[in-house]
Amino acid sequence: MIEIRIPTSAAVLLLKEKIVLELQALQKADIFPEEFSISDLTDNELLSITETAALDLIFTLPAEIYVAESNIAIIIYRAIRTFAVEQQRNAFENYTKERAEALVKPIKNLFTVYGEKEVFGRN
């Protein structure tokens, strides 16, 4: 098992930065008005953007994280829950470790399906 050691506060900071970038991309695509901020989003919109930001962060990690067992889902879970407390939003009240694991699982399956040799051989 690969254990990633990052303080929750650092994970939350990375998540927040990625959320802002996601919101800016949606504004650039004219999905949200330019003047929108995180506080203007509905609970469902914020949850969706937060999970997208978490996925983006997961994909920036080395592939070994997905091939081996790791604690990435727990880190994502803690970061999202801590972010939720800071935002004081209801959308995150029922956010579970299982939901965080569901974010990681498709990425892990992608690397498993294509096999270690093929994925790493082309990097």
Side-chain angles (χ1 to χ4, degrees), residues 42-78:
T42 67
D43 285 354
N44 288 336
E45 290 168 341
L46 182 58
L47 181 58
S48 177
I49 290 174
T50 301
E51 287 188 322
T52 301
L55 270 175
D56 285 350
L57 285 172
I58 293 168
F59 267 114
T60 63
L61 296 171
E64 292 86 5
I65 300 299
Y66 316 118
V67 175
E69 289 297 317
S70 71
N71 61 334
I72 189 63
I74 293 169
I75 292 169
I76 295 296
Y77 166 74
R78 288 179 184 158

Side-chain angles (χ1 to χ4, degrees), residues 14-15 17 69 89 106 110 115:
L14 290 170
L15 184 63
E17 288 178 15
E69 289 297 317
R89 302 292 283 268
L110 175 70

Side-chain angles (χ1 to χ4, degrees), residues 5-119:
R5 294 184 183 190
I6 181 172
T8 301
S9 59
V12 172
L13 181 63
L14 290 170
L15 184 63
K16 282 182 193 177
E17 288 178 15
K18 203 59 157 163
I19 289 169
V20 169
L21 290 174
E22 291 295 330
L23 181 57
Q24 289 172 348
L26 292 169
Q27 289 170 330
K28 203 175 218 181
D30 291 327
I31 295 172
F32 289 110
E34 293 277 335
E35 62 275 0
F36 256 45
S37 68
I38 291 173
S39 61
D40 295 320
L41 298 171
T42 67
D43 285 354
N44 288 336
E45 290 168 341
L46 182 58
L47 181 58
S48 177
I49 290 174
T50 301
E51 287 188 322
T52 301
L55 270 175
D56 285 350
L57 285 172
I58 293 168
F59 267 114
T60 63
L61 296 171
E64 292 86 5
I65 300 299
Y66 316 118
V67 175
E69 289 297 317
S70 71
N71 61 334
I72 189 63
I74 293 169
I75 292 169
I76 295 296
Y77 166 74
R78 288 179 184 158
I80 290 175
R81 291 293 296 197
T82 303
F83 174 71
V85 169
E86 291 176 6
Q87 295 297 308
Q88 300 177 352
R89 302 292 283 268
N90 296 334
F92 298 94
E93 285 180 359
N94 297 321
Y95 200 85
T96 62
K97 287 181 187 175
E98 291 76 22
R99 190 157 176 179
E101 288 170 2
L103 285 177
V104 177
K105 187 176 179 178
I107 300 168
K108 186 172 186 151
N109 288 344
L110 175 70
F111 280 88
T112 303
V113 167
Y114 288 103
E116 263 183 73
K117 290 181 183 176
E118 187 173 329
V119 171

